[in-house]
Amino acid sequence: LAVGLLLLAGVAKLLMTCVRQVVRPWWPFTLRQGLAGLYRPRNQTLLFLLSVGTGVAMTLSTLLTQSMLTRYLDGWDLKMKANFFVINIPPEKRAAASKIMTGEGAQVMGEAPIALLALQSVNGKSLSELQEEKGKKRVGGWFLTNLYRASWDPALPESAPGQPLSISLEKNLAEGFKVKPGDSVTFNHGGKELPCIVKELHESNIEKMLENFAILIKERIPPGLAVTWAAGARITDAAHGARVQRALTAAVPGITIFDIAAISEIVEKMIERGAWLVRSLSLLTVFTGLVIVVAVLLAGRRDRLEESVLLRTLGASRSQIRRILICEYLLLGLFAALTGALLSMGFAWLLATRVFKIPFDTWYWPLTAAVGLVCALTALLGMFLSRGVASHPPLSILRGEG
């Protein structure tokens, strides 16, 4: 905010200096007078840019952040995501488990094979060698001894025995192994070595079953893997989940079930309330911005009355005075809106990247429309609050009675 206020003050000072220099005598009278209103004695340029520019920056940054947050939260819409998970399904019971879930009214949303792998070596170095390296950052013990679940597309063909596998490692796991794409990693599966080449890294994605594994086998799969299956389904509520669970455990003993329907309902309500709160805050900020504009315009009404008397004494007509006021209001609104819009992008970037930790993106056409709306609104409010200025009796102003 401090930097933003300094920038607005700098823009106001620069604007007053530049306008004084660029005005030419052959320009139209109303335009020259409108521009002169930006640097005349007791001008409102600095006050207007500071107050309205800050209001515009706060309003647009709130709307920008609200747009980014709602888009981010919409991406976490759980209403069409799996909320009932079954793991350790034997291959021969896979079809039966799927049939039972479908028969009980659950919507099966994905299946994936799973094989358990243990780390054996990284880039040709055994686990003991990795632990004994001195003077270097070593691989942590937890990463070395853990069993990792690997999955793949069931449609992949089999590889030849001993052929290195192409795999994708989850990013956090790759950091733990201290490996990057192109490195070699060897796993052990039931006493068999599985040499692998890290082709790429991926981020775990709970919305897609085949991307929510630490290791994804690509291109070809080794023959003879000991496999179990996992399945994700959508149920309506906790009672529905209990019925499906009873039917599954009776027909397929030994499976593990995670019913997160109740948790999903709570998360959905939290997301909806969060989005409503952000929208409400945006409307409140817009209202506050309008109050600021009205307050600043009312503060300069007395000065405009005195100017109108002076101009009418010099021979200006009422229509010319109105055009001068419109020109001044439009220019003030334009520069305040432009500076505020640029500041709002900076504020929104800080909020997105430093506070909410979400990707920053912006929308340029709505920002452009907002600048035009602020200009028009400033001119309309200015003329509405300045009604009677052009026709006010000069004598009452000179006597101090206006």
Side-chain angles (χ1 to χ4, degrees):
L1 279 174
V3 172
L5 289 172
L6 287 174
L7 287 173
L8 285 168
V11 169
K13 293 294 185 181
L14 182 64
L15 177 61
M16 288 186 281
T17 302
C18 291
V19 167
R20 188 189 296 270
Q21 300 297 325
V22 300
V23 173
R24 296 293 180 265
W26 46 270
W27 287 5
F29 171 73
T30 53
L31 177 60
R32 282 187 286 122
Q33 290 299 318
L35 290 170
L38 301 180
Y39 60 85
R40 58 167 170 73
R42 292 191 297 176
N43 67 79
Q44 288 188 296
T45 304
L46 179 60
L47 175 63
F48 198 90
L49 259 73
L50 283 175
S51 54
V52 177
T54 303
V56 169
M58 297 299 292
T59 301
L60 291 181
S61 62
T62 305
L63 293 174
L64 273 171
T65 307
Q66 178 248 338
S67 175
M68 288 185 287
L69 279 173
T70 50
R71 284 200 297 271
Y72 181 76
L73 293 177
D74 287 342
W76 281 83
D77 186 5
L78 302 177
K79 293 180 180 178
M80 293 305 295
K81 302 294 189 299
N83 58 3
F84 186 89
F85 297 94
V86 187
I87 64 173
N88 297 329
I89 305 173
E92 66 275 10
K93 296 288 187 178
R94 173 191 170 194
S98 179
K99 184 177 180 180
I100 290 171
M101 287 188 285
T102 304
E104 292 292 334
Q107 180 185 358
V108 178
M109 307 190 74
E111 295 178 302
I114 298 175
L116 294 178
L117 306 180
L119 182 65
Q120 183 167 309
S121 65
V122 176
N123 288 324
K125 295 182 179 181
S126 67
L127 304 188
S128 298
E129 291 174 323
L130 291 172
Q131 288 285 55
E132 291 172 0
E133 287 186 355
K134 295 181 179 180
K136 295 183 179 179
K137 193 173 183 180
R138 299 179 298 174
V139 176
W142 181 86
F143 286 101
L144 299 178
T145 58
N146 191 47
L147 284 177
Y148 297 99
R149 289 177 173 83
S151 188
W152 57 90
D153 185 345
L156 289 178
E158 287 189 352
S159 65
Q163 180 181 356
L165 304 175
S166 296
I167 63 170
S168 173
L169 283 182
E170 198 271 331
K171 287 184 177 179
N172 291 330
L173 181 60
E175 291 175 2
F177 286 171
K178 306 293 185 294
V179 298
K180 58 185 181 302
D183 289 346
S184 62
V185 181
T186 301
F187 291 97
N188 185 290
H189 175 73
K192 294 168 55 177
E193 288 188 359
L194 297 178
C196 304
I197 302 295
V198 180
K199 290 295 184 182
E200 59 187 39
L201 307 180
H202 67 271
E203 292 185 356
S204 181
N205 186 349
I206 65 172
E207 299 181 18
K208 297 181 180 179
M209 180 165 289
L210 278 176
E211 295 182 15
N212 195 29
F213 291 91
I215 304 169
L216 296 177
I217 300 176
K218 304 286 187 178
E219 299 175 5
R220 292 181 180 274
I221 57 174
L225 287 178
V227 176
T228 60
W229 283 80
R234 178 74 186 178
I235 57 176
T236 54
D237 51 35
H240 184 201
R243 293 198 307 272
V244 179
Q245 183 171 346
R246 284 195 298 269
L248 278 173
T249 52
V252 189
I255 59 174
T256 303
I257 296 174
F258 297 95
D259 183 357
I260 60 170
I263 298 175
S264 298
E265 290 179 7
I266 294 172
V267 173
E268 286 171 10
K269 290 179 181 178
M270 290 175 62
I271 289 174
E272 290 174 359
R273 290 177 182 177
W276 176 84
L277 180 63
V278 173
R279 292 190 182 98
S280 302
L281 179 62
S282 300
L283 292 175
L284 178 63
T285 311
V286 170
F287 175 75
T288 306
L290 291 175
V291 172
I292 291 173
V293 172
V294 172
V296 173
L297 292 174
L298 284 175
R301 178 178 170 82
R302 176 71 188 186
D303 292 332
R304 281 168 175 77
L305 283 171
E306 295 175 355
E307 289 171 11
S308 70
V309 169
L310 207 59
L311 290 171
R312 288 175 62 190
T313 304
L314 296 173
S317 64
R318 294 178 180 178
S319 63
Q320 284 179 315
I321 294 174
R322 292 192 185 98
R323 289 199 298 271
I324 290 170
L325 290 175
I326 291 176
C327 180
E328 183 179 351
Y329 289 138
L330 283 175
L331 290 170
L332 285 173
L334 174 64
F335 287 108
L338 282 175
T339 311
L342 292 175
L343 277 178
S344 71
M345 293 178 67
F347 290 161
W349 177 81
L350 287 173
L351 287 170
T353 58
R354 307 300 181 191
V355 178
F356 297 108
K357 310 294 185 182
I358 60 175
F360 171 76
D361 59 352
T362 186
W363 16 265
Y364 297 101
W365 283 112
L367 278 178
T368 306
V371 171
L373 179 63
V374 171
C375 291
L377 192 61
T378 302
L380 289 173
L381 282 175
M383 294 307 295
F384 175 76
L385 297 173
S386 300
R387 64 190 187 280
V389 167
S391 57
H392 207 84
L395 193 58
S396 64
I397 297 297
L398 296 174
R399 288 175 175 172
E401 299 171 356

